[in-house]
Amino acid sequence: MKDFARLVKLMAPHWKSMLLATLLGFFTVGSGAGLLGASAFLISGAALHPPVLELMQAIVGVRFFGISRAVFRYLERYFSHDATFRLLSHIRVWFYQALEPLAPARLMEYRSGELVSRMAADVETLEQFYLRVLAPPLVALLTLFGVFAFLARFGLGPAFVFLFFFLAAAAAAPLAVRALGRGGGGLLGETRAALNTQMVDTIQGMTEIAAFNLSARQQRQVGELSEKFLGLQERAAGIRSLSSALAGLLMNLAMWSILLLAIPLVTRGDLDGIYLAVLALVTLGGFEAVLPLPMVFQHIEESLAAARRLFAVIDAKPAVPEPPAPSPKLRGYDLRVRGLSFSYAPGEPRALDGLDFALPRGGRLAVVGPSGAGKSTLVNLLLRFWDYREGSISLGGQELKAFPPEELRRHISVVTQNTYLFNASVRENLLLAKPGAGEKELLRAAREAQIHDFIQGLPRGYDTPVGERGFKLSGGQRQRLAIARALLKNSPVLLLDEATAGLDPVTGRKVMESVSRLMEGRTTVAITHDLTGLEGMDEILVMDRGRVAERGRHSELLEKGGLYRKMWELQNI
């Protein structure tokens, strides 16, 4: 019930459109019943061969209800789908706004395919919540009152017969369908999500699957999920067919029961025979509103299952809370770390243990060490992807925790090992750093990153698509685009996280030339395995198991003959 109430609350901003669509739905059903009733009255009356003028009311009624039904149906479809699409847009924005603060710490436990499924399939499932769950019962309730009042004018007997069968179709049939399909809606959604997740993993890992000859196994797993999904769909289709048959049976029983009740009234003269067909056909027309109701519980189950999967994600508390007070003003861009310790989960070994350093504005600090030494953890904390509890990190004399993550990241440019490029043009990928940048700024950043000439040689220059994740470009080209993006952002603090990792020595040296230009005048922290070019660093921290094993300049560390010297010798054999 709680999840149902949350879904209804999500739809509250669009209640006016939904109410209008519901009323239009009632008018559509009413016009349909009116058309059948007026047609029956016209045909029955015409069989008695009265003067044409006596039939004019019926003729006008047929025309009116025929036209109004078409108009109301069009308006009902228009406004109901408009409300639905606005609702879906609202839900997507709401979900993304709730999802963004959770990245990346809280999203690490989800597979990418699972998140895609929740963002796409589950949100799409909620499209049914208004059209198939909320609107039909309201339309049916209004129709029940309208048809009951009409039939009651001719006698309470037909009215109560209609009431009995209408309620049976509106309540008993849905309960029977619910009993047959219990759990099917939720299981259908879960299976669809699992299949989507498997397909995304298959596509993303296509190279590894082929390289390790795992295609047959992957096809088998996808096939099993597909068969399960198809089986659930067949079961749902069977239930839908049964519900339609059951509703049709009750509708016809209601019509025949009213006929059997009304015929003696006509025989006794208590009811004009011209109205016999009117009562029967108005009853049939009124049942149009009840036909969708048997599937309401099935749609509720699917919608609530989808909603629970969405709520399970967004109900997680962000790893980095927003500070209660407004952001303080920075007095500079010097960076200081004191006694910083951090572990990713309680009971796990510390990724950082008592880290200390001071970096003045415009200073250059390199952090090196073997894998697992805590280098990337430092970057995660500086960007506030995770929150530290022990120690202190200050920028310009202000504690990092005093800044909202989004505000803090405006002052920082990042170049990582795995530069993500969207499947868009070179220009669009560069403008991510500064959407309002002009053409001159864009070209200057590309020239400084030594990528301009390459871009100009592409088929469409800066408007050339780079492909999914930038796979149309080489590793060095992707890194230079990342450097150009950082230059365009022009932030005073620069974080380099393995900016040259995975590149060949020649490309790596060229990229380092661009990196050196990028570091000029910026407070720079460079995380790296590659010790090439560290002679220009003001200080080098050599980390091991979360602690600082050595610190000093390049020449000093070589003279010490410690861990840094060993790493340097291994790279320069």
Side-chain angles (χ1 to χ4, degrees), residues 18-30 33 130 134-150 162 166-167 170 286 289-290 293:
M18 293 180 180
L19 178 60
L20 177 59
T22 300
L23 290 174
L24 289 169
F26 165 64
F27 293 149
T28 301
V29 175
Y130 168 69
L134 292 185
L138 295 175
V139 172
L141 184 63
L142 293 173
T143 302
L144 173 62
F145 288 135
V147 175
F148 182 87
F150 176 80
F162 170 78
F166 193 94
L167 291 178
V290 85
L293 294 184

mmCIF file of all heavy atoms in Angstrom, residues 18-30 33 130 134-150 162 166-167 170 286 289-290 293:
data_model
loop_
_atom_site.group_PDB
_atom_site.id
_atom_site.type_symbol
_atom_site.label_atom_id
_atom_site.label_comp_id
_atom_site.label_asym_id
_atom_site.label_seq_id
_atom_site.Cartn_x
_atom_site.Cartn_y
_atom_site.Cartn_z
ATOM 1 N N MET A 18 -5.303 14.227 -15.833
ATOM 2 C CA MET A 18 -5.831 12.873 -15.624
ATOM 3 C C MET A 18 -7.330 12.910 -15.333
ATOM 4 O O MET A 18 -8.086 12.063 -15.816
ATOM 5 C CB MET A 18 -5.076 12.195 -14.488
ATOM 6 C CG MET A 18 -3.619 11.919 -14.825
ATOM 7 S SD MET A 18 -2.750 11.116 -13.470
ATOM 8 C CE MET A 18 -1.121 10.943 -14.197
ATOM 9 N N LEU A 19 -7.761 13.894 -14.537
ATOM 10 C CA LEU A 19 -9.193 14.019 -14.241
ATOM 11 C C LEU A 19 -9.979 14.332 -15.510
ATOM 12 O O LEU A 19 -11.049 13.755 -15.758
ATOM 13 C CB LEU A 19 -9.412 15.109 -13.197
ATOM 14 C CG LEU A 19 -10.868 15.387 -12.816
ATOM 15 C CD1 LEU A 19 -11.514 14.132 -12.235
ATOM 16 C CD2 LEU A 19 -10.950 16.545 -11.825
ATOM 17 N N LEU A 20 -9.432 15.232 -16.340
ATOM 18 C CA LEU A 20 -10.094 15.568 -17.599
ATOM 19 C C LEU A 20 -10.185 14.342 -18.502
ATOM 20 O O LEU A 20 -11.239 14.075 -19.110
ATOM 21 C CB LEU A 20 -9.329 16.688 -18.300
ATOM 22 C CG LEU A 20 -9.859 17.120 -19.679
ATOM 23 C CD1 LEU A 20 -11.301 17.596 -19.579
ATOM 24 C CD2 LEU A 20 -8.961 18.196 -20.268
ATOM 25 N N ALA A 21 -9.094 13.566 -18.585
ATOM 26 C CA ALA A 21 -9.104 12.360 -19.415
ATOM 27 C C ALA A 21 -10.110 11.343 -18.887
ATOM 28 O O ALA A 21 -10.787 10.654 -19.673
ATOM 29 C CB ALA A 21 -7.700 11.752 -19.460
ATOM 30 N N THR A 22 -10.243 11.241 -17.571
ATOM 31 C CA THR A 22 -11.209 10.309 -16.972
ATOM 32 C C THR A 22 -12.635 10.718 -17.316
ATOM 33 O O THR A 22 -13.475 9.874 -17.677
ATOM 34 C CB THR A 22 -11.019 10.263 -15.451
ATOM 35 O OG1 THR A 22 -9.692 9.826 -15.145
ATOM 36 C CG2 THR A 22 -12.011 9.301 -14.807
ATOM 37 N N LEU A 23 -12.927 11.999 -17.193
ATOM 38 C CA LEU A 23 -14.277 12.485 -17.544
ATOM 39 C C LEU A 23 -14.573 12.252 -19.021
ATOM 40 O O LEU A 23 -15.688 11.857 -19.386
ATOM 41 C CB LEU A 23 -14.393 13.973 -17.200
ATOM 42 C CG LEU A 23 -14.414 14.317 -15.705
ATOM 43 C CD1 LEU A 23 -14.392 15.822 -15.505
ATOM 44 C CD2 LEU A 23 -15.628 13.698 -15.016
ATOM 45 N N LEU A 24 -13.570 12.484 -19.860
ATOM 46 C CA LEU A 24 -13.756 12.244 -21.294
ATOM 47 C C LEU A 24 -13.989 10.760 -21.574
ATOM 48 O O LEU A 24 -14.753 10.395 -22.473
ATOM 49 C CB LEU A 24 -12.554 12.759 -22.073
ATOM 50 C CG LEU A 24 -12.416 14.288 -22.145
ATOM 51 C CD1 LEU A 24 -11.058 14.676 -22.708
ATOM 52 C CD2 LEU A 24 -13.535 14.881 -22.997
ATOM 53 N N GLY A 25 -13.304 9.892 -20.797
ATOM 54 C CA GLY A 25 -13.541 8.458 -20.928
ATOM 55 C C GLY A 25 -14.973 8.092 -20.570
ATOM 56 O O GLY A 25 -15.623 7.265 -21.250
ATOM 57 N N PHE A 26 -15.502 8.706 -19.508
ATOM 58 C CA PHE A 26 -16.898 8.469 -19.119
ATOM 59 C C PHE A 26 -17.858 8.966 -20.198
ATOM 60 O O PHE A 26 -18.840 8.295 -20.550
ATOM 61 C CB PHE A 26 -17.170 9.176 -17.789
ATOM 62 C CG PHE A 26 -18.630 9.314 -17.467
ATOM 63 C CD1 PHE A 26 -19.426 8.198 -17.257
ATOM 64 C CD2 PHE A 26 -19.214 10.566 -17.384
ATOM 65 C CE1 PHE A 26 -20.783 8.328 -16.960
ATOM 66 C CE2 PHE A 26 -20.571 10.705 -17.090
ATOM 67 C CZ PHE A 26 -21.344 9.588 -16.885
ATOM 68 N N PHE A 27 -17.570 10.159 -20.753
ATOM 69 C CA PHE A 27 -18.426 10.693 -21.804
ATOM 70 C C PHE A 27 -18.390 9.804 -23.054
ATOM 71 O O PHE A 27 -19.400 9.666 -23.759
ATOM 72 C CB PHE A 27 -18.006 12.115 -22.173
ATOM 73 C CG PHE A 27 -18.234 13.117 -21.080
ATOM 74 C CD1 PHE A 27 -17.395 14.222 -20.938
ATOM 75 C CD2 PHE A 27 -19.266 12.959 -20.173
ATOM 76 C CE1 PHE A 27 -17.599 15.146 -19.937
ATOM 77 C CE2 PHE A 27 -19.473 13.887 -19.149
ATOM 78 C CZ PHE A 27 -18.637 14.984 -19.033
ATOM 79 N N THR A 28 -17.224 9.205 -23.310
ATOM 80 C CA THR A 28 -17.110 8.304 -24.465
ATOM 81 C C THR A 28 -18.002 7.080 -24.284
ATOM 82 O O THR A 28 -18.755 6.692 -25.189
ATOM 83 C CB THR A 28 -15.653 7.862 -24.653
ATOM 84 O OG1 THR A 28 -14.836 9.006 -24.854
ATOM 85 C CG2 THR A 28 -15.502 6.937 -25.846
ATOM 86 N N VAL A 29 -17.912 6.467 -23.106
ATOM 87 C CA VAL A 29 -18.755 5.291 -22.828
ATOM 88 C C VAL A 29 -20.228 5.687 -22.827
ATOM 89 O O VAL A 29 -21.086 4.972 -23.371
ATOM 90 C CB VAL A 29 -18.360 4.656 -21.482
ATOM 91 C CG1 VAL A 29 -19.300 3.504 -21.130
ATOM 92 C CG2 VAL A 29 -16.922 4.155 -21.531
ATOM 93 N N GLY A 30 -20.535 6.849 -22.218
ATOM 94 C CA GLY A 30 -21.925 7.315 -22.189
ATOM 95 C C GLY A 30 -22.464 7.569 -23.587
ATOM 96 O O GLY A 30 -23.618 7.236 -23.887
ATOM 97 N N ALA A 33 -23.181 4.167 -25.159
ATOM 98 C CA ALA A 33 -24.449 3.612 -24.665
ATOM 99 C C ALA A 33 -25.639 4.398 -25.219
ATOM 100 O O ALA A 33 -26.674 3.818 -25.592
ATOM 101 C CB ALA A 33 -24.454 3.635 -23.132
ATOM 102 N N TYR A 130 -1.548 4.641 -14.869
ATOM 103 C CA TYR A 130 -2.720 5.508 -15.027
ATOM 104 C C TYR A 130 -3.706 4.923 -16.024
ATOM 105 O O TYR A 130 -4.903 4.805 -15.737
ATOM 106 C CB TYR A 130 -2.291 6.912 -15.471
ATOM 107 C CG TYR A 130 -3.473 7.726 -15.929
ATOM 108 C CD1 TYR A 130 -4.436 8.160 -15.022
ATOM 109 C CD2 TYR A 130 -3.658 8.026 -17.280
ATOM 110 C CE1 TYR A 130 -5.540 8.867 -15.437
ATOM 111 C CE2 TYR A 130 -4.767 8.737 -17.702
ATOM 112 C CZ TYR A 130 -5.704 9.162 -16.785
ATOM 113 O OH TYR A 130 -6.801 9.851 -17.201
ATOM 114 N N LEU A 134 -5.549 3.298 -12.703
ATOM 115 C CA LEU A 134 -6.326 4.353 -12.061
ATOM 116 C C LEU A 134 -7.574 4.737 -12.859
ATOM 117 O O LEU A 134 -8.663 4.858 -12.300
ATOM 118 C CB LEU A 134 -5.448 5.592 -11.857
ATOM 119 C CG LEU A 134 -4.309 5.470 -10.838
ATOM 120 C CD1 LEU A 134 -3.617 6.808 -10.676
ATOM 121 C CD2 LEU A 134 -4.827 4.984 -9.496
ATOM 122 N N ALA A 135 -7.419 4.952 -14.153
ATOM 123 C CA ALA A 135 -8.532 5.481 -14.944
ATOM 124 C C ALA A 135 -9.713 4.511 -15.085
ATOM 125 O O ALA A 135 -10.866 4.924 -14.898
ATOM 126 C CB ALA A 135 -8.023 5.909 -16.321
ATOM 127 N N PRO A 136 -9.498 3.222 -15.428
ATOM 128 C CA PRO A 136 -10.657 2.333 -15.655
ATOM 129 C C PRO A 136 -11.623 2.228 -14.479
ATOM 130 O O PRO A 136 -12.854 2.302 -14.706
ATOM 131 C CB PRO A 136 -9.997 0.973 -15.963
ATOM 132 C CG PRO A 136 -8.678 1.342 -16.559
ATOM 133 C CD PRO A 136 -8.234 2.541 -15.787
ATOM 134 N N PRO A 137 -11.174 2.065 -13.220
ATOM 135 C CA PRO A 137 -12.158 1.997 -12.129
ATOM 136 C C PRO A 137 -12.967 3.287 -11.982
ATOM 137 O O PRO A 137 -14.163 3.237 -11.666
ATOM 138 C CB PRO A 137 -11.292 1.748 -10.888
ATOM 139 C CG PRO A 137 -10.041 1.123 -11.406
ATOM 140 C CD PRO A 137 -9.812 1.775 -12.722
ATOM 141 N N LEU A 138 -12.343 4.447 -12.200
ATOM 142 C CA LEU A 138 -13.065 5.713 -12.076
ATOM 143 C C LEU A 138 -14.117 5.850 -13.177
ATOM 144 O O LEU A 138 -15.254 6.261 -12.915
ATOM 145 C CB LEU A 138 -12.073 6.881 -12.136
ATOM 146 C CG LEU A 138 -11.076 6.968 -10.974
ATOM 147 C CD1 LEU A 138 -10.077 8.103 -11.215
ATOM 148 C CD2 LEU A 138 -11.814 7.193 -9.654
ATOM 149 N N VAL A 139 -13.740 5.496 -14.403
ATOM 150 C CA VAL A 139 -14.696 5.537 -15.517
ATOM 151 C C VAL A 139 -15.839 4.561 -15.255
ATOM 152 O O VAL A 139 -17.024 4.877 -15.487
ATOM 153 C CB VAL A 139 -13.990 5.220 -16.845
ATOM 154 C CG1 VAL A 139 -15.007 5.068 -17.971
ATOM 155 C CG2 VAL A 139 -12.974 6.308 -17.193
ATOM 156 N N ALA A 140 -15.499 3.369 -14.759
ATOM 157 C CA ALA A 140 -16.532 2.362 -14.484
ATOM 158 C C ALA A 140 -17.493 2.831 -13.394
ATOM 159 O O ALA A 140 -18.711 2.609 -13.483
ATOM 160 C CB ALA A 140 -15.875 1.051 -14.075
ATOM 161 N N LEU A 141 -16.962 3.494 -12.376
ATOM 162 C CA LEU A 141 -17.814 3.977 -11.285
ATOM 163 C C LEU A 141 -18.793 5.030 -11.790
ATOM 164 O O LEU A 141 -20.008 4.979 -11.467
ATOM 165 C CB LEU A 141 -16.941 4.554 -10.173
ATOM 166 C CG LEU A 141 -17.666 5.019 -8.908
ATOM 167 C CD1 LEU A 141 -18.363 3.843 -8.226
ATOM 168 C CD2 LEU A 141 -16.679 5.684 -7.943
ATOM 169 N N LEU A 142 -18.315 5.973 -12.587
ATOM 170 C CA LEU A 142 -19.199 6.996 -13.148
ATOM 171 C C LEU A 142 -20.242 6.367 -14.063
ATOM 172 O O LEU A 142 -21.428 6.747 -14.048
ATOM 173 C CB LEU A 142 -18.372 8.033 -13.913
ATOM 174 C CG LEU A 142 -17.445 8.915 -13.068
ATOM 175 C CD1 LEU A 142 -16.568 9.777 -13.972
ATOM 176 C CD2 LEU A 142 -18.244 9.798 -12.119
ATOM 177 N N THR A 143 -19.820 5.391 -14.852
ATOM 178 C CA THR A 143 -20.753 4.711 -15.767
ATOM 179 C C THR A 143 -21.809 3.939 -14.997
ATOM 180 O O THR A 143 -22.996 3.917 -15.382
ATOM 181 C CB THR A 143 -19.970 3.756 -16.689
ATOM 182 O OG1 THR A 143 -18.991 4.494 -17.407
ATOM 183 C CG2 THR A 143 -20.905 3.067 -17.672
ATOM 184 N N LEU A 144 -21.410 3.308 -13.915
ATOM 185 C CA LEU A 144 -22.355 2.557 -13.089
ATOM 186 C C LEU A 144 -23.483 3.459 -12.604
ATOM 187 O O LEU A 144 -24.679 3.110 -12.716
ATOM 188 C CB LEU A 144 -21.620 1.931 -11.905
ATOM 189 C CG LEU A 144 -22.492 1.241 -10.844
ATOM 190 C CD1 LEU A 144 -23.243 0.071 -11.451
ATOM 191 C CD2 LEU A 144 -21.646 0.780 -9.670
ATOM 192 N N PHE A 145 -23.131 4.627 -12.080
ATOM 193 C CA PHE A 145 -24.162 5.547 -11.585
ATOM 194 C C PHE A 145 -25.058 6.026 -12.734
ATOM 195 O O PHE A 145 -26.289 6.106 -12.594
ATOM 196 C CB PHE A 145 -23.503 6.758 -10.904
ATOM 197 C CG PHE A 145 -22.889 6.430 -9.584
ATOM 198 C CD1 PHE A 145 -21.626 6.897 -9.258
ATOM 199 C CD2 PHE A 145 -23.556 5.658 -8.654
ATOM 200 C CE1 PHE A 145 -21.044 6.607 -8.042
ATOM 201 C CE2 PHE A 145 -22.988 5.352 -7.424
ATOM 202 C CZ PHE A 145 -21.722 5.831 -7.110
ATOM 203 N N GLY A 146 -24.439 6.335 -13.866
ATOM 204 C CA GLY A 146 -25.212 6.864 -14.995
ATOM 205 C C GLY A 146 -26.193 5.856 -15.555
ATOM 206 O O GLY A 146 -27.387 6.170 -15.755
ATOM 207 N N VAL A 147 -25.742 4.635 -15.828
ATOM 208 C CA VAL A 147 -26.617 3.616 -16.420
ATOM 209 C C VAL A 147 -27.669 3.162 -15.409
ATOM 210 O O VAL A 147 -28.836 2.927 -15.767
ATOM 211 C CB VAL A 147 -25.784 2.423 -16.928
ATOM 212 C CG1 VAL A 147 -26.687 1.305 -17.443
ATOM 213 C CG2 VAL A 147 -24.835 2.883 -18.039
ATOM 214 N N PHE A 148 -27.259 3.035 -14.132
ATOM 215 C CA PHE A 148 -28.233 2.637 -13.100
ATOM 216 C C PHE A 148 -29.369 3.658 -13.011
ATOM 217 O O PHE A 148 -30.555 3.292 -12.934
ATOM 218 C CB PHE A 148 -27.524 2.512 -11.751
ATOM 219 C CG PHE A 148 -28.437 2.055 -10.641
ATOM 220 C CD1 PHE A 148 -28.653 0.712 -10.411
ATOM 221 C CD2 PHE A 148 -29.091 2.981 -9.826
ATOM 222 C CE1 PHE A 148 -29.499 0.284 -9.392
ATOM 223 C CE2 PHE A 148 -29.941 2.570 -8.810
ATOM 224 C CZ PHE A 148 -30.138 1.211 -8.588
ATOM 225 N N ALA A 149 -29.004 4.940 -13.051
ATOM 226 C CA ALA A 149 -30.046 5.983 -12.977
ATOM 227 C C ALA A 149 -30.960 5.924 -14.199
ATOM 228 O O ALA A 149 -32.184 6.107 -14.072
ATOM 229 C CB ALA A 149 -29.368 7.353 -12.876
ATOM 230 N N PHE A 150 -30.383 5.652 -15.380
ATOM 231 C CA PHE A 150 -31.212 5.564 -16.598
ATOM 232 C C PHE A 150 -32.176 4.386 -16.518
ATOM 233 O O PHE A 150 -33.370 4.516 -16.817
ATOM 234 C CB PHE A 150 -30.300 5.434 -17.819
ATOM 235 C CG PHE A 150 -31.040 5.244 -19.101
ATOM 236 C CD1 PHE A 150 -31.605 6.327 -19.759
ATOM 237 C CD2 PHE A 150 -31.209 3.982 -19.660
ATOM 238 C CE1 PHE A 150 -32.293 6.162 -20.956
ATOM 239 C CE2 PHE A 150 -31.893 3.797 -20.846
ATOM 240 C CZ PHE A 150 -32.441 4.896 -21.495
ATOM 241 N N PHE A 162 -28.763 -4.991 -13.564
ATOM 242 C CA PHE A 162 -27.545 -4.403 -14.143
ATOM 243 C C PHE A 162 -26.480 -4.204 -13.062
ATOM 244 O O PHE A 162 -25.291 -4.518 -13.278
ATOM 245 C CB PHE A 162 -27.889 -3.062 -14.794
ATOM 246 C CG PHE A 162 -26.680 -2.273 -15.209
ATOM 247 C CD1 PHE A 162 -25.980 -2.585 -16.368
ATOM 248 C CD2 PHE A 162 -26.216 -1.229 -14.419
ATOM 249 C CE1 PHE A 162 -24.852 -1.866 -16.746
ATOM 250 C CE2 PHE A 162 -25.085 -0.498 -14.783
ATOM 251 C CZ PHE A 162 -24.403 -0.825 -15.937
ATOM 252 N N PHE A 166 -22.867 -5.953 -13.198
ATOM 253 C CA PHE A 166 -21.784 -4.982 -13.369
ATOM 254 C C PHE A 166 -20.758 -5.137 -12.240
ATOM 255 O O PHE A 166 -19.542 -5.148 -12.488
ATOM 256 C CB PHE A 166 -22.368 -3.563 -13.373
ATOM 257 C CG PHE A 166 -21.402 -2.514 -13.842
ATOM 258 C CD1 PHE A 166 -21.368 -2.121 -15.166
ATOM 259 C CD2 PHE A 166 -20.524 -1.903 -12.960
ATOM 260 C CE1 PHE A 166 -20.488 -1.140 -15.612
ATOM 261 C CE2 PHE A 166 -19.639 -0.929 -13.392
ATOM 262 C CZ PHE A 166 -19.614 -0.547 -14.719
ATOM 263 N N LEU A 167 -21.254 -5.264 -11.003
ATOM 264 C CA LEU A 167 -20.344 -5.444 -9.871
ATOM 265 C C LEU A 167 -19.626 -6.786 -9.952
ATOM 266 O O LEU A 167 -18.457 -6.900 -9.553
ATOM 267 C CB LEU A 167 -21.111 -5.330 -8.558
ATOM 268 C CG LEU A 167 -21.642 -3.930 -8.215
ATOM 269 C CD1 LEU A 167 -22.423 -3.961 -6.904
ATOM 270 C CD2 LEU A 167 -20.499 -2.923 -8.121
ATOM 271 N N ALA A 170 -16.956 -6.209 -12.347
ATOM 272 C CA ALA A 170 -15.982 -5.229 -11.867
ATOM 273 C C ALA A 170 -15.191 -5.720 -10.669
ATOM 274 O O ALA A 170 -14.066 -5.255 -10.436
ATOM 275 C CB ALA A 170 -16.689 -3.925 -11.505
ATOM 276 N N GLY A 286 -23.152 0.086 -21.519
ATOM 277 C CA GLY A 286 -22.570 0.409 -20.214
ATOM 278 C C GLY A 286 -21.439 -0.524 -19.824
ATOM 279 O O GLY A 286 -20.513 -0.129 -19.107
ATOM 280 N N ALA A 289 -17.378 0.003 -20.083
ATOM 281 C CA ALA A 289 -16.515 0.571 -19.040
ATOM 282 C C ALA A 289 -15.922 -0.498 -18.137
ATOM 283 O O ALA A 289 -14.895 -0.263 -17.489
ATOM 284 C CB ALA A 289 -17.308 1.561 -18.201
ATOM 285 N N VAL A 290 -16.545 -1.673 -18.079
ATOM 286 C CA VAL A 290 -16.085 -2.692 -17.145
ATOM 287 C C VAL A 290 -15.132 -3.697 -17.790
ATOM 288 O O VAL A 290 -14.452 -4.458 -17.090
ATOM 289 C CB VAL A 290 -17.313 -3.414 -16.527
ATOM 290 C CG1 VAL A 290 -17.788 -4.543 -17.410
ATOM 291 C CG2 VAL A 290 -16.993 -3.931 -15.120
ATOM 292 N N LEU A 293 -11.502 -3.904 -16.473
ATOM 293 C CA LEU A 293 -11.290 -4.072 -15.033
ATOM 294 C C LEU A 293 -10.696 -5.415 -14.612
ATOM 295 O O LEU A 293 -9.920 -5.471 -13.649
ATOM 296 C CB LEU A 293 -12.601 -3.828 -14.278
ATOM 297 C CG LEU A 293 -13.139 -2.400 -14.340
ATOM 298 C CD1 LEU A 293 -14.376 -2.260 -13.475
ATOM 299 C CD2 LEU A 293 -12.088 -1.395 -13.914
#
